[in-house]
């Protein structure tokens, strides 16, 4: 580049700088106030837009619109906001649970959900939902990596569930999942217990009574919030040979409005168990 070009560019640069300086010098207090308000309004509108997406996402989730929800949130997969990321983890997982999804796609979505949950937790350790969905998705990934890995992750899963409950004691879902954790270890098969004994010096253990206490606590925090909690209350009472209470909760699970794919599966299992109870 010759010196004339450089000089010309310098003049343009200086002219631009002078105009900026002139603008700042001549701006009146009133016009500057207007400028500040316009800038603030723009940032608020952007924030409102993000909030609107989250509200729309929560509405779609409540309606059981799994595919639409995933399509909405996947546009924000590169977000640094944990609120988007944990919802995306939940959306990917829910999509994986649909009966129309192929086995290969289910596996892909399961790992995708885990990646989003992990990222959400990295972005905000104080987000209770990030801890909850990390625990859930870590458990799901274990289904593809064998019983040794799944059991090996068990203490990590429980730890994150307990952190989620500590951060938000009113989140019934976290309490329910901790109950499910206890139920799973209470019914662990003998060969799985052997695997657990190899992995841990003190293998994780739990009882049906502990599981029941968590399911009841979840129901106390948010009555009738989740069809699966009603089902697990029925199953826990069955394992404790309390037929009357088991039938009561299984009937509630059967009569729960079937909005999601999981609700439909719960409805089917509740009917089968009620038949067994006679």
């Amino acid at each position: 580049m010759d010196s004339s070009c450089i000089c010309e560019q310098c003049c343009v640069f200086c002219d631009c700088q002078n105009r900026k300086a002139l603008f700042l010098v001549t701006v009146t207090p009133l016009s500057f106030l207007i400028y500040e308000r316009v800038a603030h309004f723009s940032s608020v509108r952007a924030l409102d837009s993000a909030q609107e997406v989250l509200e729309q996402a929560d509405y779609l989730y409540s309606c059981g619109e799994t595919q639409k929800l995933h399509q909405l949130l996947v546009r924000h997969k590169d977000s640094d906001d944990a609120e988007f990321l944990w919802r995306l983890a939940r959306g990917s997982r829910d999509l994986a649970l649909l009966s129309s999804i192929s086995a290969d796609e289910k596996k892909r979505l399961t790992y995708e959900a885990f990646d989003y949950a992990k990222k959400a937790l990295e972005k905000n350790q104080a987000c209770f939902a990030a801890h909850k969905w990390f625990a859930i998705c870590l458990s799901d990934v274990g289904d593809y990596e064998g019983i040794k890995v799944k059991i090996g992750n068990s203490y990590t899963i429980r730890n994150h569930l307990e952190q989620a409950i500590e951060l938000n004691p009113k989140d019934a879902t976290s309490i329910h999942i901790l109950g499910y954790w206890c139920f799973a270890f209470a019914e662990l098969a003998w060969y799985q217990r052997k695997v657990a004994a190899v992995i841990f010096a003190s293998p994780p253990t739990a009882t049906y009574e502990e599981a029941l206490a968590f399911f009841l606590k979840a129901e106390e925090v948010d009555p009738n919030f989740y069809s699966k909690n009603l089902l697990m209350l029925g199953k826990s009472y069955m394992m404790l040979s309390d037929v009357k209470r088991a039938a009561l909760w299984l009937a509630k699970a059967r009569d729960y409005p079937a909005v999601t794919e999981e609700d439909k599966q719960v409805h089917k299992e509740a009917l089968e168990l009620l038949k067994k109870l006679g």
Side-chain angles (χ1 to χ4, degrees), residues 200-220:
F200 300 107
S202 300
T205 59
T207 64
Y208 292 115
E209 287 86 356
E210 287 177 294
L212 177 64
F214 281 117
F215 295 139
L216 287 171
K217 179 64 177 176
E219 204 62 28
E220 178 188 327

Side-chain angles (χ1 to χ4, degrees), residues 119-259:
K119 188 178 176 184
L121 196 57
E122 289 170 354
K123 296 299 178 185
N124 189 357
Q125 287 277 335
C127 177
F128 84 92
H131 284 281
K132 174 171 69 176
W133 287 100
F134 178 83
I136 294 169
C137 294
L138 180 60
S139 178
D140 290 344
V141 165
D143 292 338
Y144 292 99
E145 299 192 353
I147 188 66
K148 189 174 180 179
V149 171
K150 192 169 180 71
I151 292 176
N153 289 335
S154 58
Y155 277 128
T156 302
I157 291 167
R158 176 156 193 159
N159 178 51
H160 282 285
L161 290 172
E162 288 173 343
Q163 286 185 68
I165 294 168
E166 184 179 343
L167 288 165
N168 184 4
K170 294 298 183 182
D171 181 50
T173 312
S174 297
I175 301 169
H176 161 82
I177 300 166
L178 193 48
Y180 199 90
W181 187 98
C182 292
F183 191 95
F185 277 98
E187 68 171 1
L188 211 61
W190 66 269
Y191 66 90
Q192 293 172 327
R193 292 185 189 280
K194 277 195 167 186
V195 173
V198 170
I199 300 171
F200 300 107
S202 300
T205 59
T207 64
Y208 292 115
E209 287 86 356
E210 287 177 294
L212 177 64
F214 281 117
F215 295 139
L216 287 171
K217 179 64 177 176
E219 204 62 28
E220 178 188 327
V221 168
D222 192 0
N224 211 42
F225 75 104
Y226 185 32
S227 61
K228 191 73 173 278
N229 199 61
L230 303 175
L231 176 70
M232 294 310 297
L233 277 163
K235 291 176 75 169
S236 297
Y237 278 119
M238 279 184 71
M239 300 308 295
L240 295 170
S241 302
D242 191 333
V243 176
K244 186 177 179 181
R245 285 192 175 93
L248 172 68
W249 289 105
L250 290 172
K252 289 185 177 184
R254 176 200 61 197
D255 298 337
Y256 193 93
V259 176

Side-chain angles (χ1 to χ4, degrees), residues 63-71 90-107 109-110 144 259-265:
C63 296
E65 293 284 359
T66 304
Q67 291 173 317
K68 289 181 181 178
L69 173 61
H70 189 265
Q71 288 168 5
R90 180 182 66 181
S92 296
R93 182 182 186 269
D94 285 351
L95 196 58
L97 293 174
L98 294 180
S99 57
S100 58
I101 296 295
S102 68
D104 288 343
E105 183 67 359
K106 179 182 174 72
K107 182 177 180 179
L109 286 165
T110 298
Y144 292 99
V259 176
T260 67
E261 190 81 15
E262 188 177 36
D263 291 334
K264 293 171 186 175
Q265 293 169 3

